[in-house]
Amino acid sequence: LQDFDAESPSSLTDISMAWVCHNVEVLCVAQEDGSLRFRHCPVFPQELADQLLHRMADEGVLNDRTVGIFQNLEHLRLRRACIQSSRLSAEAFRRSLCPHKLQELNASHIHSDVTISDVLHGLTSSKLCRQGLQTLLMDGLRLYGGAGEESLQASFSMLRGLKKLSLAWTDLNDRGLEDICAIPMLESLDISGTNVTDLTPLLNCQSRLLSLNAHGLQKVEMPASSFISVLSKLHLLRHLDISNDRLVMDRDDLVQQLLERPGMLPQLVSLDVSGWRGVSGAAIQAFVEVRPGLRFIGLLGTGAGGSELLCGDGQLKVAGESSLTQLCEALRRYSDRESFIREVLAHLYSHTSDMEEPQPHIVKLVLAAMRHHTDSPHVQLVASACVFNLTVQELVLGMPLRLLGNVVQQLLTAMKNFPNHEQLQKNCLLTLCSDHILQVAPFDRYEAAKLIMMMLGNHEDQTVQRMAVAVVSILVSKLSTEEIAELGAEAYIMKQLLSIVQQKASLGVVDSTLKFALSALWNLTDETPTACRHFIQCQGIELYMELLESYYSESSIQQKLLGLLNNVAEVEELRMELMNEDLVEHILSLLINPEVEVDISYFAGGILAHLVSVRGAAWSLDAELHSTVQEKLHSSVLSWSSPEHAMVSYRTFQPFYPLLHVSQCPGVQLWALWAIQFVCRQNAPQYCDMLQSEGGTDILRVLSSHADTHSDVKSLTQNILKILEQNIHPTSSGTKRGNIISVS
């Protein structure tokens, strides 16, 4: 398993390997055959050469071109080659890898036409590999290639030094098994899921075979008694896996015969009989008691494993379902076996429903299962439910941050892969609806917000909608200006959120979904002219005019509505869209009403200040209304007292500076000054630095000293300058401007 320790950074080797993989084309030149070689290649330590090949395969950049770099045998010497799941042709494999003195090769699940026959031909064509190769893994490959090919191009037995061979889930047949059993030094064999019908050839290597994996042999034609007879003669066997992925009853008493046969496999250290339902617990107990050297037994799905001897806490490890310890062992052992993982997760969900202490090691195991089975909706469904159980409420606080980041990434992958699976979406969103995860876990919040908004269009379920909007609202508030601009450029996001607002408004409800949708819209339009245009094009202004009236007594709703209209008003070329007499008069009433909270009056004043500003669109409404707005702005700002709570936060003061120009009317200037003074008092170190670094201090001094500046404006300006003098910091910082929101 990958180490998810949040406190330890990636190693320099990992960082370097990742960089080389992502820049391999730039670092190389093409050879005559089209493959690549490094322009400048130092002598790699052998372990690093192995790691580079493995990392290239993992990153998906290993192909016929890039594998050419390993033709340089002097500088890149391979011993343990992993090309699992890569895309290599037989020729590229033979040309670039077979000349190396390989000791191990993992060629499982190659995504090309390479066959077992091709790999054998390449390896046996090299004297070094014939004699030196000790481990060969070719799981998931086909024996033969083209039509008519019925025999291998080379023999397994030609690999004279081979000790470990894995051909699980291939079309290996009885003839192939006979050839394999002639390998003179073979000690470990995996023939799980193959077409083998008869295990008798194994007797040819009974004097050396130490490990046998033979689960999922659905085509075996031997009677159970004959099967057990062959196994009983493998006296040196230390590891045996005859588990059954189908989780069926042991109707032929195969396992029972194995357990009860006297003197059976005395050297056994590991036995796996998981999946055979109905196995006798007493027989298991008796078998284990006479084998003190046994270190592992697989009992998942058997119904056995409940005794104290089989608890799994001591030297004997047990994969089963009777305890968390057994389930964790099963997760470790069976991560690539879907039917077993489904069984484990179903039991794990029950065991984790009332956890009291954080269990990060279990979370890691569940995530590994999710990664191994990304295409299984059942695994993703139950695993996501387990993740919720393991991270709910205070449990999440005990999880390493990097682990939480991986939790988020895995949940988002599940949501992306199964966009129409409503229950899975709910499970994932339940975990994501955590302030702690959304605020501090390391993950790509921009991509997450985008993905969840896309998913939202597939679901009308109110629970899904509520959680998705809540998560998006938090995520948007954490994005940078550039990310907000990119997200705001996606018109479908604006349409989705406005549609939700319209739906809620038509019912006249005030719930968390409405509030979170309005918060997301507010933050999405912050300093984002494109998003503001989308808002207007989607008839957002008309909708917000209706909401301002229908939710007149709901201050939390009013604040969010006015906050967004403030963002629109900041865009000079869009101010004309707000020149609606009914709208302006309504906003003016919110400014001057003494019963309205300062928060509401403040945002109402901001909209009006921008509309009567000398910058941008000319005032197109009644002249008397223009004068009234200017006058009421002046008197209202002077009457405001600063609220004790945090009303708003700012990333920059740039939208305020045009309002502080000496040509502006006093009411406009006062509104901008009051806002600056308010946040400077709330958080002087942060906002004083911001003012100074942006040149705002100079603007304030000009305004304070100008002969035409109104006395009220001068007084407020000088107050801010005094705060600045008391709080001068050399560095600047800023935070997201927008409403302060929480999932809870």
Side-chain angles (χ1 to χ4, degrees), residues 36 75 95 142 197 202 287 328 385 462 521:
L36 301 179
H75 295 97
R95 187 173 59 246
R142 290 176 297 113
T197 66
L202 292 175
F287 185 86
C328 288
Q462 295 298 301
L521 286 163

Side-chain angles (χ1 to χ4, degrees), residues 527-583:
E527 292 187 58
T528 313
T530 303
C532 291
R533 289 190 185 91
H534 288 324
F535 173 79
I536 293 169
Q537 291 164 2
C538 295
Q539 285 75 52
I541 291 178
E542 293 81 355
L543 174 60
Y544 271 43
M545 285 176 63
E546 295 176 12
L547 297 180
L548 282 169
E549 294 186 5
S550 56
Y551 290 100
Y552 188 83
S553 61
E554 297 288 342
S555 59
S556 62
I557 302 295
Q558 293 278 313
Q559 183 184 21
K560 300 175 194 302
L561 297 171
L562 295 170
L564 185 146
L565 294 178
N566 239 304
N567 290 340
V568 175
E570 286 178 4
V571 184
E572 292 182 6
E573 61 269 28
L574 298 182
R575 288 174 189 164
M576 183 59 68
E577 303 292 340
L578 298 173
M579 294 289 186
N580 178 292
E581 191 165 326
D582 290 339
L583 176 61

Side-chain angles (χ1 to χ4, degrees), residues 602-717:
Y602 166 77
F603 287 111
I607 299 168
L608 297 174
H610 285 293
L611 292 184
V612 298
S613 167
V614 296
R615 299 278 294 270
W619 182 264
S620 60
L621 304 177
D622 181 69
E624 184 178 345
L625 181 58
H626 184 271
S627 300
T628 302
V629 168
Q630 291 181 323
E631 174 192 334
K632 296 302 181 182
L633 265 175
H634 193 138
S635 59
S636 296
V637 172
L638 292 178
S639 69
W640 290 343
S641 57
S642 297
E644 295 181 2
H645 60 277
M647 189 173 66
V648 70
S649 60
Y650 294 101
R651 187 195 311 109
T652 176
F653 287 133
Q654 293 295 342
F656 292 93
Y657 299 142
L659 304 181
L660 297 176
H661 194 271
V662 293
S663 61
Q664 297 283 13
C665 74
V668 171
Q669 295 168 335
L670 284 170
W671 179 84
L673 289 168
W674 189 92
I676 293 172
Q677 177 184 254
F678 171 71
V679 293
C680 283
R681 283 178 172 170
Q682 290 271 326
N683 190 343
Q686 175 180 318
Y687 290 110
C688 289
D689 284 350
M690 186 190 296
L691 262 179
Q692 189 176 33
S693 65
E694 292 181 349
T697 308
D698 295 333
I699 294 173
L700 291 174
R701 290 197 178 104
V702 169
L703 186 61
S704 176
S705 61
H706 197 278
D708 294 335
T709 300
H710 192 283
S711 59
D712 292 335
V713 174
K714 282 189 176 183
S715 176
L716 197 47
T717 305

Side-chain angles (χ1 to χ4, degrees), residues 16 120 182 228-229 240 269 291 304 307 414 460 475 503 513 532 539 601 616 639 709 711 719:
S16 301
L120 276 180
I228 296 301
S229 177
L240 175 63
V269 173
R291 289 169 178 78
S307 69
E460 295 182 359
L475 292 176
Q503 175 189 352
T513 304
C532 291
Q539 285 75 52
S601 297
S639 69
T709 300
S711 59
N719 287 345

Side-chain angles (χ1 to χ4, degrees), residues 115-134:
T115 64
I116 292 173
S117 181
D118 293 328
V119 175
L120 276 180
H121 178 65
L123 292 172
T124 55
S125 66
S126 163
K127 181 179 179 181
L128 292 174
C129 292
R130 284 199 307 272
Q131 296 178 346
L133 190 70
Q134 297 178 19

